[in-house]
Amino acid sequence: MCVNPFEETKAVTFVWGEGVSTEPKKIMPENKKSEMDMSLCVMEKKGWIGLSGVDFSAKGCKNIVVNAASDIDCELRFYIGKVSSENMIGKVDVTKTDSVDNYSVFRGDISVGEDILKGVHDLFITFDCEECGNSMIDSWMFE
């Protein structure tokens, strides 16, 4: 089964990763989507996750949307196939929120042509943070 990048995908959905952990999302009970609402916690300045079988099909997309909370500035970089400068497809800057419990929506642009993203790919997301701190990534999607 492939991952649909055009639907909101929980950040805890990954096959490979380093420098990250999963933690219960700290939100008010009335705002919880489920009893086990989890977020991805970036533990190291250079953490990353990878997903297999992300199906971009023939749809085009222009933006990446990330729902996150952070007490530090962090740049999320998105790659297809492998992590290398020529495979980077876009990035999203996550800036400090009021607290790691206060989630906000952040957007970034796709930096490659639509023809590059057609089909099924492995997707890698790297977290380039200025310092160690708390960055909680709830979800991501392409639009």
Side-chain angles (χ1 to χ4, degrees), residues 27-119:
I27 55 175
M28 298 303 293
E30 63 271 13
N31 294 329
K32 274 193 173 184
K33 293 181 182 176
S34 72
E35 285 301 311
M36 289 301 296
D37 202 358
M38 303 290 285
S39 286
L40 185 77
C41 180
V42 180
M43 305 292 291
E44 297 178 11
K45 292 193 277 185
K46 302 287 182 185
W48 63 273
I49 60 170
L51 294 89
S52 178
V54 179
D55 188 0
F56 288 92
S57 60
K59 275 188 176 181
C61 55
K62 297 187 184 327
N63 300 301
I64 306 167
V65 180
V66 172
N67 187 30
S70 186
D71 65 3
I72 57 172
D73 292 335
C74 193
E75 182 179 77
L76 280 64
R77 296 180 187 157
F78 292 74
Y79 302 85
I80 56 170
K82 64 180 180 177
V83 177
S84 67
S85 58
E86 62 270 5
N87 289 50
M88 189 169 85
I89 59 171
K91 63 182 179 178
V92 176
D93 291 320
V94 172
T95 56
K96 294 177 188 175
T97 57
D98 293 336
S99 75
V100 293
D101 301 334
N102 183 20
Y103 286 77
S104 295
V105 174
F106 300 91
R107 285 186 160 75
D109 295 330
I110 299 293
S111 59
V112 297
E114 291 181 6
D115 58 317
I116 302 291
L117 288 180
K118 289 182 180 173

